Amino acid sequence: MIKRLRAVFITVTMSMVAVMLALIFFTVFQSTYYDLANHNLQVLQDLDKESFRAPWPDFPEPLPANCFILTLTVEGNIKVTAGYDAIPDPVMQHKLLEMAQQTRDKTGTFYEQGLRFYRMEDPKNISFAFLDVSKEISTMRTLVINCGLICIITLLMCLPVCWMLARAITKPVVTSMKQQQQFLADASHELKTPLTVILTNAELLQCDDFTFAEKEQFARDIHSVARQMRSLVEDMLHLARMEQSTPPEYMEPVCISDLAEECSMLFAPLYYESGRQLHFVADPELWIWGNPAKLQQLIDILLDNANKYSSPGSRVVLRLDRMGGNHCQLSVTSRGKPLSNQQSRDIFKRFYRVDASRTGSGSSGSYGLGLPIALQIAKEHRGKLWCVGKDGSNTFYAVFPLNTH
């Protein structure tokens, strides 16, 4: 599909370039041709105007260097008036007169002989003025050849450019398709294990070899795994809706200082139970324009992530600082194995885990959807979210524009 899309793009683009070049060269050819033709015709017409002298014909002498006049007198003789020595022989003179007389037009061009003729106003004799246009014909032929070569060279030069443009334009499509395939593979993998657990426990429930208490445990396991599946599906649907780039339904001025403090107070008991400490530092009265529920969800995801993956007994720091006069920065720093630069980017992908401990079947119960959801929330609020791992710690930064109105 991608190859076909690229081939269509290259074909259409090259066709458009070829048509544009053809139009340009056709315009140049036509304008050059008409300029030369009009100039030559004007020379012959001026010669015709100067020929009205008595006795007839009494043409101006000397004629222009590339002109000659053939006059067929009433006696049947051919009189030649020329301004140069390259005069056709008598046989060619008769042939030129016959060809000119057979032409109904008053003027025309004999391309084989390289001559342009003009029927002169002669009341008694038959006179034709001839102009040597071999140089003009050669010029036009050279112009056609050069235009053709330029067209071919231009198309050959445009071909690799079109190919690179096709790759660049289809790159988002390729990325989207890969993400979709990866999403389906990851979602199938995440759902496969709980479905297996449910089916296994359901089959055990139908077996008469177990006691009532054991069957109750099977039912509880089915219920627990089903709730996990529902949570996973809800997170997947929520992330899919957020990735449609639709803004939050409700936006208002939010004091993110108070909101961050409330979140830290809610997570303090959870950190205490896990043997960790949560320290909160914030500049007061920092207001942004946003959705309070979504912003709280973002902070909750960062705090929950730090509680799950920080070193046991360590301290997690939640900071909120003013950056200049237009932005504020929220950061969550936790001790632990620092993430590499590649891992710091990949961690915001759906279903991504740094190690085997980050799994839905593990104790953390993480499916790798929290940080992608947090990233989408930051984008909805015209903010940025990224991670930096160094010096034995990992820090998540979220920057938002302040509401200055």
Side-chain angles (χ1 to χ4, degrees):
M1 177 182 176
I2 299 299
K3 291 183 178 179
R4 182 183 302 176
L5 183 61
R6 288 173 178 170
V8 171
F9 175 83
I10 292 174
T11 303
V12 172
T13 304
M14 293 296 292
S15 300
M16 293 177 61
V17 173
V19 170
M20 292 180 62
L21 289 174
L23 290 175
I24 293 173
F25 293 152
F26 178 77
T27 302
V28 172
F29 177 84
Q30 287 293 97
S31 61
T32 305
Y33 173 79
Y34 283 116
D35 286 344
L36 292 176
N38 291 333
H39 173 72
N40 295 333
L41 182 60
Q42 187 64 45
V43 172
L44 295 174
Q45 288 176 342
D46 292 342
L47 187 62
D48 186 26
K49 292 177 182 179
E50 296 177 1
S51 65
F52 286 101
R53 302 182 182 181
W56 182 269
D58 187 12
F59 301 112
E61 293 185 1
L63 294 179
N66 56 344
C67 292
F68 66 92
I69 299 174
L70 298 180
T71 302
L72 184 60
T73 64
V74 293
E75 293 82 9
N77 300 322
I78 297 177
K79 180 180 179 180
V80 180
T81 305
Y84 67 110
D85 296 333
I87 302 172
D89 56 69
V91 176
M92 180 57 67
Q93 293 175 12
H94 281 283
K95 182 178 179 180
L96 291 176
L97 285 175
E98 291 177 0
M99 293 170 58
Q101 291 178 29
Q102 293 174 0
T103 305
R104 296 181 179 180
D105 297 331
K106 191 173 183 177
T107 183
T109 303
F110 300 145
Y111 292 97
E112 184 178 349
Q113 290 76 22
L115 297 172
R116 184 178 180 87
F117 73 90
Y118 180 81
R119 188 188 301 271
M120 306 188 70
E121 299 295 338
D122 190 339
K124 296 180 180 181
N125 306 293
I126 302 175
S127 297
F128 288 92
F130 293 89
L131 181 66
D132 186 2
V133 293
S134 56
K135 293 183 179 179
E136 287 79 355
I137 294 176
S138 176
T139 300
M140 296 305 300
R141 289 175 179 171
T142 304
L143 178 62
V144 171
I145 294 174
N146 291 338
C147 288
L149 292 176
I150 293 173
C151 183
I152 294 174
I153 294 173
T154 303
L155 291 176
L156 292 177
M157 293 177 63
C158 288
L159 185 59
V161 176
C162 291
W163 184 78
M164 290 187 292
L165 286 176
R167 287 182 59 88
I169 291 176
T170 57
K171 185 177 181 180
V173 180
V174 175
T175 303
S176 178
M177 292 182 63
K178 289 183 178 179
Q179 289 178 348
Q180 184 180 14
Q181 294 172 355
Q182 186 65 38
F183 174 77
L184 292 176
D186 293 338
S188 301
H189 175 74
E190 296 295 340
L191 293 173
K192 181 179 179 180
T193 301
L195 284 174
T196 303
V197 174
I198 292 175
L199 290 174
T200 302
N201 283 276
E203 292 175 355
L204 294 175
L205 280 174
Q206 297 175 358
C207 185
D208 297 333
D209 297 336
F210 298 95
T211 63
F212 179 77
E214 290 175 329
K215 290 184 178 182
E216 282 188 336
Q217 182 61 43
F218 296 152
R220 286 194 293 269
D221 291 342
I222 292 175
H223 183 261
S224 176
V225 174
R227 293 183 62 182
Q228 293 181 14
M229 288 183 61
R230 184 181 67 178
S231 176
L232 171 62
V233 172
E234 289 177 348
D235 287 343
M236 290 167 57
L237 293 175
H238 180 57
L239 182 59
R241 287 192 296 266
M242 295 179 65
E243 288 180 345
Q244 293 178 356
S245 301
T246 56
E249 297 179 357
Y250 178 73
M251 303 282 281
E252 65 177 10
V254 179
C255 182
I256 193 170
S257 301
D258 296 341
L259 186 62
E261 185 177 5
E262 293 176 5
C263 292
S264 66
M265 294 174 62
L266 291 174
F267 271 84
L270 183 62
Y271 273 76
Y272 179 78
E273 291 180 0
S274 64
R276 297 175 175 84
Q277 299 179 10
L278 179 60
H279 183 64
F280 175 67
V281 180
D283 291 341
E285 296 298 322
L286 296 179
W287 292 77
I288 67 174
W289 185 261
N291 185 297
K294 293 289 187 68
L295 292 171
Q296 181 177 355
Q297 183 182 11
L298 182 147
I299 300 174
D300 290 347
I301 290 172
L302 296 181
L303 292 178
D304 181 64
N305 189 75
N307 184 46
K308 289 178 180 177
Y309 306 113
S310 61
S311 302
S314 62
R315 186 177 74 161
V316 177
V317 179
L318 172 63
R319 294 185 61 91
L320 183 64
D321 303 303
R322 180 188 295 271
M323 295 181 61
N326 299 322
H327 292 81
C328 65
Q329 177 177 274
L330 176 75
S331 63
V332 177
T333 304
S334 59
R335 302 292 298 178
K337 182 179 179 181
L339 301 176
S340 65
N341 293 335
Q342 184 63 40
Q343 290 173 335
S344 297
R345 293 189 294 268
D346 292 340
I347 200 171
F348 293 99
K349 298 178 180 179
R350 293 173 293 191
F351 299 111
Y352 179 82
R353 282 88 155 184
V354 174
D355 50 51
S357 65
R358 297 183 177 230
T359 174
S361 60
S363 59
S364 65
S366 171
Y367 290 99
L369 293 177
L371 289 176
I373 292 176
L375 178 62
Q376 291 299 321
I377 294 174
K379 291 181 179 179
E380 288 181 352
H381 291 77
R382 296 181 296 126
K384 298 179 180 179
L385 177 64
W386 71 96
C387 176
V388 176
K390 65 177 181 179
D391 300 331
S393 64
N394 296 297
T395 303
F396 287 85
Y397 295 96
V399 176
F400 301 98
L402 291 172
N403 182 26
T404 56
H405 299 289

